[in-house]
Amino acid sequence: MQKFDEMYTQLPYEFFTQGAQIRDHYKIYDEWLARQPGDMMAKRRQEAELIFRRVGITFAVYGDKDEDGSGNERLIPFDLIPRIIPSNEWKMMEKGLVQRVTALNRFIHDVYHDQEIIKAGIVPRDQLENNVQFRLEMMGVDVVNNIYSQISGIDMVRAPNANGEGEYYVLEDNLRVPSGVSYMLENRKMTMRLFPGLFNSHRVAPVAHYPDLLLETLRASSPPTTAEPTVVVLTPGMHNSAYYEHAFLAQQMGVELVEGQDLFVKDNFVYMRTTRGPVRVDVINRRLDDDFLDPKVFRSNSTLGCAGLMDAYRAGNVTICNAVGTGVADDKSIYPYVPKMIEFYLGEKPILNNVPTYMCRNKDDLAYTLANMKDLVIKEVHGAGGYGMLVGPASTKAEIEDFRKALLANPSGYISQPTLSLSSCPTFVESGIAPRHIDLRPFVLSGKKVQMVAGGLTRVALKEGSLVVNSSQGGGTKDTWVLEDGAPTAASVQSQTQTQSN
Amino acid sequence: MLSRTADHLFWMSRYTERAENTARMLDVNYETSLLPQSASVALLGWQGLLSISELLSTFTEKHGDVTASAVMEFMVKDETNPSSIVSCLRAARENARAVRGSLTTEVWETLNQTWLEVNKKLKAGELEDDPGQFFEWVKYRSHLSRGVTVGTMLMDEAFHFTRLGTFLERADNTARLVDVKFHAIQNDFYGTTGSKNQEHDFYHWSSILRSVSGFEVYRKVYRDVIKPERVAELLILRADMPRSLHASLNEVVNNLNVLSNENSGETHRLAGKLCAELKYGRIDEILATGLDAYLTQFLDRVNDLAAHISKDFLLPSAA
């Protein structure tokens, strides 16, 4: 036990407070873990892997073979130790997320209509017009409820603020096709299956009703032409890396999982081809990027989408979720303006912090960035998936020099941020239990109202010292527990957990 | 339901059924090969098995001489042979994966687990160690797939397309099996009178029966020694024999009836006619016209029926 404590003394803010005291909401778990026999975790992990493989919870790795050499599907590493968030922290975060996503939806509506925020001089016009995600095709198009991002994934990290206290920061807004929610749900199922006793000793907020909320949100987004809207999930197909998630969501909601070839447009209405003839489609939860939606408007050589879809969409006969052109608001160049957006549209103070961000398009910010490259994280404005970034403190001189050239060649293509001292969570790795950096992606649903389930997907950087949590970069995931009020105290559940620890 | 989904479900169950039937044929051939018999008779058995599946020329191109171990390897493990057991199980699993949302978790997990396990088993050399055990396992997994389908799926279109695939494939496979076995016998020792040959006859016919789990059924139905024309009758005309042509066609018709749409009239007519001929057919008539000719024609008609099903239900209709 002593050893376990020491390992985390140096680490910020997840398990431990600054004085190396375990934070209250982790105490029961910590005591439970201390009572477990040494090989228990290894056995449970093996069990988890077997189950994940049997259930087929995999993601595709392009051009790669899996462990059996029989396909290209990989398991995303699942860590057994949950990440726990106390009720008060979640309540604050939830309020902040509702506020943020509401403002972002207002912003997207604004840029495709009157552009008040630009007229007010808050967001520079060229910032918008040079954004490749800005879709002129969407100008003046009205969407149901004025909602563009029905499903938003907001990436959050916890790090010390100026006073050295742990605080949540928004790292990135994902407003196009944020994925990972199936892992949130499967991770919970797995933890409940492997460690049922832990759920007696903790009041963990449930997440399993997410597909219900999603269906409700999608149905609420239907054009008002029918009382019983037909909802479908549109996937690029089984070779897509997130195919598991697409199939999972369609099944959980009880709707059809369609590919572009299953759809066609006639007289500006969208239909799917069924064994009993064409059936009209009202809401499309699309899981492919704008570029592939309609070969008549976007990439003409793509067969993933459906010709004529945009016409039907602009005619108001079908809802596409998320809307076309939402990418204009989740860009790294727009991110720094979100707090101001909240004030502009809602007249409220932002509840969630942004990470301080230097926009290299500004002279002063560029100069500061160039002078401090080894201390900063520098990101390409359009980079994603952990690519196109420089983590200053972890980079070689040569890498820094290469990036300096790229930065000077195209300053407005980059932003920089201070390296945060990201919080760590105990994680079960080969060498035993060790701290690893984590982030959190809650999934915010916007239909008639803005709602979410308590929690999200916690991603964990499995490489020692790494700050990159993306699955394409070898990251894993954890179950995320939001504790409800009135959680049992350590003493009151001691006897219970002891009997269940075997 | 989506035409594409129906297509995947149809083929998912066809491939599962095909893997089982291939295992059945290989199993029986393997067991027969353990009996004392001349090399030429053994060779005939393996050749027959390849010609049932229309794979004799592909095989000889690749392997040359027909040997027991080469045929087993080719029909079980060869990933380039689309009819090998491993290819069928993969295709079944891939079709299921494409539409896993239309399946119950249990059905999907059964097919996925079968695919994961078959790779492990083959890698571990279980086919070479004990072929019989391996074939038992393939049959068992197929039973499980069908059982879990019937036991968990909503009896909607998805269910009926899955069943349709199963029974169409079974009709095809049983017809091929009966054809090749009768063919082999007519050329070799059918109708001779020596006691050695009679004994051989017994093993030959009983092996056909066992390949469709029909040995005990035969005894129960006929309470008689094993006679070729009765074996043929059991496997072609008996509606109560689960793997017979008649029973398979009954199921095809039943499932088609539920699935009918406004374009599928001709498909129903073809299926109904074929089924009625089996219902009112007599084995002496069939044998008089020639069993091989009859079965070849039957296979053509099943094939034609499959093409009609595909056209009416499975291919995306034009906009």
Side-chain angles (χ1 to χ4, degrees), chain A residues 452-470:
Chain A
M452 67 200 85
V453 297
L457 178 68
T458 291
R459 297 184 298 175
V460 50
L462 291 175
K463 262 188 264 170
E464 194 172 353
S466 171
L467 295 171
V468 184
V469 295
N470 301 73

Side-chain angles (χ1 to χ4, degrees), chain B residues 138-316:
Chain B
V138 176
K139 281 192 263 176
Y140 177 77
R141 294 303 300 186
S142 173
H143 293 324
L144 197 60
S145 298
R146 275 194 310 277
V148 80
T149 304
V150 174
T152 65
M153 275 177 72
L154 182 68
M155 284 179 257
D156 61 356
E157 275 187 279
F159 174 82
H160 292 294
F161 277 112
T162 307
R163 300 289 283 172
L164 187 61
T166 299
F167 293 107
L168 203 69
E169 182 68 26
R170 186 178 293 177
D172 175 285
N173 289 179
T174 299
R176 287 175 196 274
L177 182 85
V178 174
D179 190 24
V180 79
K181 286 293 180 184
F182 273 83
H183 206 66
I185 273 221
Q186 280 157 352
N187 287 344
D188 196 15
F189 41 75
Y190 179 57
T192 54
T193 49
S195 65
K196 187 76 185 163
N197 283 337
Q198 254 177 3
E199 184 187 305
H200 210 124
D201 262 11
F202 170 80
Y203 287 108
H204 184 87
W205 296 119
S206 61
S207 79
I208 296 181
L209 287 171
R210 276 183 296 114
S211 74
V212 292
S213 305
F215 188 73
E216 292 143 33
V217 173
Y218 182 94
R219 294 284 197 214
K220 199 176 219 167
V221 170
Y222 297 102
R223 303 183 185 282
D224 191 4
V225 293
I226 293 182
K227 291 180 182 160
E229 59 272 25
R230 291 198 153 168
V231 173
E233 184 186 58
L234 182 70
L235 298 190
I236 296 171
L237 297 176
R238 289 288 300 207
D240 50 3
M241 167 68 197
R243 310 193 78 81
S244 77
L245 304 189
H246 187 185
S248 302
L249 256 297
N250 275 345
E251 290 287 348
V252 167
V253 169
N254 290 343
N255 285 288
L256 269 179
N257 283 343
V258 188
L259 293 169
S260 72
N261 65 26
E262 40 188 61
N263 300 320
S264 61
E266 177 63 9
T267 307
H268 289 282
R269 194 185 69 81
L270 292 174
K273 186 163 177 246
L274 192 52
C275 190
E277 285 173 31
L278 289 161
K279 183 172 178 188
Y280 298 108
R282 277 176 40 182
I283 198 64
D284 51 353
E285 282 175 9
I286 292 173
L287 291 174
T289 50
L291 193 60
D292 181 49
Y294 175 84
L295 290 170
T296 308
Q297 197 214 27
F298 178 85
L299 282 171
D300 283 345
R301 289 170 70 179
V302 166
N303 203 17
D304 187 40
L305 185 57
H308 271 83
I309 289 171
S310 182
K311 186 171 102 0
D312 290 349
F313 299 102
L314 310 178
L315 295 176

Side-chain angles (χ1 to χ4, degrees), chain A residues 344-380:
Chain A
F344 182 75
Y345 294 115
L346 309 178
E348 296 170 7
K349 264 180 74 76
I351 299 168
L352 296 174
N353 302 300
N354 262 16
V355 179
T357 303
Y358 303 98
M359 290 179 273
C360 301
R361 62 196 305 280
N362 300 337
K363 252 191 192 160
D364 292 351
D365 288 8
L366 178 64
Y368 178 84
T369 302
L370 289 170
N372 295 283
M373 287 185 75
K374 66 176 188 345
D375 299 321
L376 295 170
V377 180
I378 305 174
K379 297 173 177 172
E380 260 178 48

Side-chain angles (χ1 to χ4, degrees), chain A residues 53-56 58 68 70 73 238 243-244 247 251 256-259 261-262 264 272-276, chain B residues 1-4 6 93-94 97-98 100-101 103 108-109 112-113 123 157 258 260-261 313 316-317 319:
Chain A
R53 178 118 349 245
R54 194 187 69 220
V55 177
T58 56
D68 296 334
S70 51
E73 294 160 47
M238 59 192 283
Y243 178 74
Y244 170 76
Q251 182 181 36
E256 292 287 358
L257 177 68
V258 306
E259 295 179 12
Q261 54 174 310
D262 301 318
F264 67 91
M272 57 181 168
R273 303 170 208 269
T274 82
T275 54
R276 292 173 195 275
Chain B
M1 90 184 312
L2 290 177
S3 301
R4 184 176 53 81
R93 189 262 185 180
E94 286 297 282
R97 195 164 100 84
R100 57 183 291 172
L103 301 169
W108 156 250
E109 285 192 16
N112 190 38
Q113 180 85 342
K123 243 177 229 167
E157 275 187 279
V258 188
S260 72
N261 65 26
F313 299 102
S317 57

Side-chain angles (χ1 to χ4, degrees), chain A residues 306-343:
Chain A
C306 166
L309 183 58
M310 280 302 287
D311 290 338
Y313 183 51
R314 281 189 292 231
N317 293 336
V318 67
T319 298
I320 298 177
C321 299
N322 291 347
V324 176
T326 53
V328 72
D330 71 1
D331 198 280
K332 290 185 184 70
S333 69
I334 291 295
Y335 164 87
Y337 297 101
V338 177
K340 284 182 189 157
M341 267 176 216
I342 293 171
E343 287 171 26

Side-chain angles (χ1 to χ4, degrees), chain A residues 419-434:
Chain A
T419 37
L420 296 181
S421 181
L422 293 193
S423 65
S424 305
C425 187
T427 298
F428 187 63
V429 294
E430 287 308 320
S431 56
I433 294 172

